[in-house]
Amino acid sequence: MADDPQRNFRSAYYEKVGFRGVEEKKSLEILLKDSPLGILPPHSDSHALVGGYRKEQYQDILEALEVMRYINSSTPSTHVYLRMFQLESQVLPRCSETSAPDEENEDFLSISRAMEEIVDDPVDCYWLIKCFVNQFHTKFGDSVPHLPKSLEHYLSQEEPRLLNHLKNSGALDQLPYNLWFRRCFAGCLPECSLQRVWDKVISGSCKILVFVALEILLSYKIILMGINRPEGVVKFLCNIPQENTDAIVTKAIDLWHKYCGTPVHAV
């Protein structure tokens, strides 16, 4: 990972808490000083103290949920994180009203499952999930609904024949936009590729999600052109082959630079 020039947000986070050794790109150097996820203060001398407070807060929330019987020893960790997040956000439902997770909660759970593959410590994992989700909704909540149209525009520039096929087959309106744009490809891309995408999102751009989706469509153009039913297109795109995803992300970043220059905080 240390030799990867594309940098990932986990490296950025661990360097922020004192594990040095990876050379930073200038743009991320500036972002780290601003603490893009807001987890740690800019002064390294206070990291240990703040880290202790974070751990105590985590334990307090956990114990409160156990006392209220929202969670127990058999509750999956991702559902624990969801209840913790709901409690802190003051949207925790009554115990008698808890039901199967709705679409928004499923988005959170998908991001949580992906984050667990990246971060081992549960305290760090929860804080990263919480801050990532909050930052994404705060910065990009108004932009996300417009990303499908943006994808359509760039696809018309790169491969109009594929765009017409998706339109004519009825698949365009049914593409897995939630998986791509609301879940930021959690559950679609493996961890090694996903963290490169999330790094760009944390750095300040949700438009990278459009170009990853665009490159997926371009990479599997021949297969997609041979599928005439929208459900077949959706099924394939929700289960893309995992062995080629790093190349897809690399090409997506190239497309991002092609259309957006060299954005640092581009939306």
Side-chain angles (χ1 to χ4, degrees), residues 21 37 50 55 63 66 68 82 101 125 127 180 184 191 208 212 214 221 226 240 259 265:
L37 281 182
V50 172
K55 189 171 184 178
E63 290 172 11
E66 289 172 347
M68 291 188 290
L82 173 61
C125 188
W127 280 99
W180 292 346
C184 302
E191 171 260 323
I208 186 62
V212 175
L214 175 61
K221 174 182 67 175
I240 63 171
Y259 285 103
H265 297 285

Side-chain angles (χ1 to χ4, degrees), residues 221-245:
K221 174 182 67 175
I222 295 175
I223 294 175
L224 295 173
M225 291 289 286
I227 304 174
N228 295 314
R229 298 179 66 84
E231 58 268 26
V233 171
V234 173
K235 182 179 180 181
F236 175 80
L237 292 174
C238 288
N239 299 278
I240 63 171
Q242 300 290 282
E243 64 272 7
N244 197 37
T245 56

Side-chain angles (χ1 to χ4, degrees), residues 5 38 59-60 65 72 76-77 95 152 158 162 175 178 192 198 208 213 248 261 263:
Q59 292 297 335
D60 287 344
L65 289 169
N72 54 51
S77 55
C95 268
E152 183 178 342
E158 291 290 321
L162 177 57
L175 296 181
N178 282 354
C192 60
W198 284 7
I208 186 62
I248 286 174

